[in-house]
Amino acid sequence: MMNTLAVNQLSTFRWDFETDAQAYADHGFGGIGLFRPKVEDFGIDRSVELLADLDLSVTSLSWAGGFTGSDGRGFNDAVRDAMSAVTDAANLRADTLIVLAGGRNNHIRRHARRTLCEALAKVSIIAEEFGVRIALEPFHPGCGHEWSFVNDLESTLQIIDMVGSPNLGIVLDTYHVGMDDDVLRWLPHACPHVHLLQLGDGRHSPLGEMNRCLLGEGCVPIESIVHTLLDHGYQGPIEAEVIGEDVEPLEYEMVLDHTRGFLDQLTQSKVH
């Protein structure tokens, strides 16, 4: 099996960096999806050292972006922040830096898209110099309109096409795009551009806050999505993100156990 199995630090939000890393390694995961505030608290050099000791590869660094000003920052500030995230990603040897477009913020869609493409073009140049891949993550409009005006694979592919940078790709999070009836039809087109496959499940379409459930207990066709991507040659990491009030009361150890079991089953059924 080529794909590194990983967990995103948002899944164990209340733990600190060290506890996350140790627990993921103990549960036999090969990778970790890093959350920038946790890395900043722990320190980049210490993070690099600890992850090397535990033999954990960094499957992603979250997030940069918000170029439309929806989070209160100006365009230049958001671009500068994304550039500093690129250097962090390079130092952490992260597979991919995840980028969020930002909400529409009262712009007309065309203007928002032009702003995003301009930002991605600038950040891509720096990312190429540092050998860092960046990946745009579409967000379900039901829970992410303030995070991203890019909501599906089709519009993400259009933006990648417009920017035209070889190291810009897609984060495909099954929670955000997996409930779209068209998703399986778009996967073959998207697959060559997928830098990171994130697994998330939900009991119903996102509404308001993100509310994921344990993998395999919701209505997202995770197995079909994963198997389609693997059939089309996806060899990148598979990273679980389990977060929301459905899982809030559960012990993190239990969440990690369940996630590990689900991923093992999913990937074993794929070995011919």
Side-chain angles (χ1 to χ4, degrees):
M1 190 68 204
M2 298 286 297
N3 311 79
T4 302
L5 302 182
V7 181
N8 190 289
Q9 284 188 301
L10 288 174
S11 307
T12 50
F13 191 73
R14 295 185 303 274
W15 280 353
D16 63 14
F17 189 99
E18 202 165 356
T19 312
D20 288 345
Q22 189 63 59
Y24 299 178
D26 290 347
H27 282 82
F29 289 99
I32 182 170
L34 298 181
F35 182 49
R36 286 175 73 194
K38 285 195 180 193
V39 177
E40 277 154 31
D41 285 348
F42 194 63
I44 285 211
D45 295 342
R46 285 177 74 201
S47 302
V48 170
E49 221 166 282
L50 177 64
L51 297 175
D53 286 347
L54 293 172
D55 204 17
L56 279 177
S57 63
V58 179
T59 46
S60 69
L61 180 64
S62 307
W63 300 287
F67 304 115
T68 52
S70 60
D71 60 2
R73 285 183 304 184
F75 177 80
N76 292 333
D77 283 346
V79 169
R80 256 197 305 276
D81 174 64
M83 288 178 176
S84 92
V86 166
T87 58
D88 290 348
N91 290 329
L92 291 159
R93 291 196 272 290
D95 245 14
T96 290
L97 171 65
I98 297 177
V99 177
L100 299 181
R104 237 173 87 179
N105 199 27
N106 302 325
H107 298 304
I108 56 168
R109 191 168 280 274
R110 199 170 60 234
H111 175 69
R113 201 161 61 176
R114 202 167 50 235
T115 304
L116 172 61
C117 288
E118 188 188 334
L120 289 174
K122 288 177 191 288
V123 177
S124 291
I125 292 168
I126 303 294
E128 280 178 50
E129 283 173 21
F130 279 93
V132 170
R133 301 195 306 172
I134 52 179
L136 186 60
E137 179 170 4
F139 255 53
H140 192 286
C143 66
H145 64 92
E146 74 276 23
W147 294 98
S148 179
F149 68 89
V150 181
N151 306 127
D152 56 29
L153 291 178
E154 186 179 1
S155 50
T156 311
L157 286 168
Q158 285 168 352
I159 285 158
I160 287 171
D161 203 35
M162 284 160 81
V163 175
S165 162
N167 67 336
L168 173 62
I170 296 175
V171 179
L172 192 155
D173 184 329
T174 60
Y175 178 74
H176 288 302
V177 300
M179 299 190 213
D180 178 348
D181 296 337
D182 275 351
V183 67
L184 294 172
R185 194 166 59 83
W186 276 100
L187 288 181
H189 307 285
C191 189
H193 303 283
V194 176
H195 287 347
L196 176 66
L197 173 57
Q198 276 187 334
L199 299 189
D201 205 347
R203 295 205 164 88
H204 50 76
S205 227
L207 204 60
E209 289 291 299
M210 258 196 272
N211 188 17
R212 301 166 183 242
C213 60
L214 291 173
L215 295 176
E217 294 191 358
C219 59
V220 177
I222 294 181
E223 201 170 321
S224 309
I225 293 172
V226 172
H227 289 176
T228 303
L229 284 170
L230 295 178
D231 286 342
H232 281 85
Y234 177 72
Q235 294 186 342
I238 299 177
E239 181 183 294
E241 191 177 302
V242 186
I243 167 183
E245 58 184 65
D246 277 1
V247 289
E248 196 65 30
L250 306 176
E251 295 284 329
Y252 286 157
E253 288 287 341
M254 190 243 130
V255 172
L256 292 175
D257 277 341
H258 181 279
T259 301
R260 182 69 225 207
F262 179 83
L263 290 176
D264 284 344
Q265 236 176 335
L266 189 68
T267 48
Q268 274 156 15
S269 65
K270 210 41 218 156
V271 179
H272 296 298

